[in-house]
């Protein structure tokens, strides 16, 4: 449950940061906020990758445990 909430928050943050980044790309003299947004976009992307891989790993472990329980009941 906690992971899903974090994933939702960071996904929305990533989408909004991409919108702001496209806005600042149109401006010719790049303000400080452009570089700050660039750093935040990279950070958010890294966090999203980490959360998704963690969630996949956890689902795989749960699937393995369910298979072991089924095998244990059949024996």
């Amino acid at each position: 449950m906690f992971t899903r909430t974090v994933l939702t928050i960071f996904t929305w943050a990533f989408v909004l940061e991409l919108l702001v980044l496209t806005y600042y790309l149109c401006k010719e003299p790049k303000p400080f906020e452009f570089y700050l947004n660039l750093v935040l976009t990279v950070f958010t992307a890294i966090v999203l990758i980490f959360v998704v891989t963690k969630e996949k790993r956890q689902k795989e472990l749960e699937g393995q445990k369910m298979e072991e329980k089924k095998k244990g009941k059949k024996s």
Side-chain angles (χ1 to χ4, degrees):
M1 182 68 176
F2 174 74
T3 307
R4 190 173 248 174
T5 305
V6 170
L7 185 62
T8 303
I9 291 170
F10 275 96
T11 302
W12 273 108
F14 187 69
V15 169
L16 294 174
E17 287 170 9
L18 287 178
L19 289 174
V20 171
L21 193 63
T22 56
Y23 169 75
Y24 281 127
L25 283 175
C26 297
K27 290 190 167 200
E28 192 48 44
K30 304 291 186 237
F32 171 74
E33 288 84 4
F34 169 76
Y35 300 105
L36 180 64
N37 193 329
L38 198 60
V39 170
L40 286 174
T41 305
V42 171
F43 172 75
T44 305
I46 291 170
V47 169
L48 279 173
I49 291 169
F50 174 73
V51 170
V52 168
T53 55
K54 181 181 174 185
E55 188 68 22
K56 280 186 178 180
R57 195 176 315 130
Q58 187 176 5
K59 295 260 185 191
E60 289 174 357
L61 289 175
E62 288 175 2
Q64 289 175 356
K65 287 180 182 179
M66 293 296 286
E67 288 177 10
E68 289 175 4
K69 285 183 181 179
K70 287 180 183 178
K71 288 180 182 179
K73 288 182 180 179
K74 289 182 181 178
S75 297

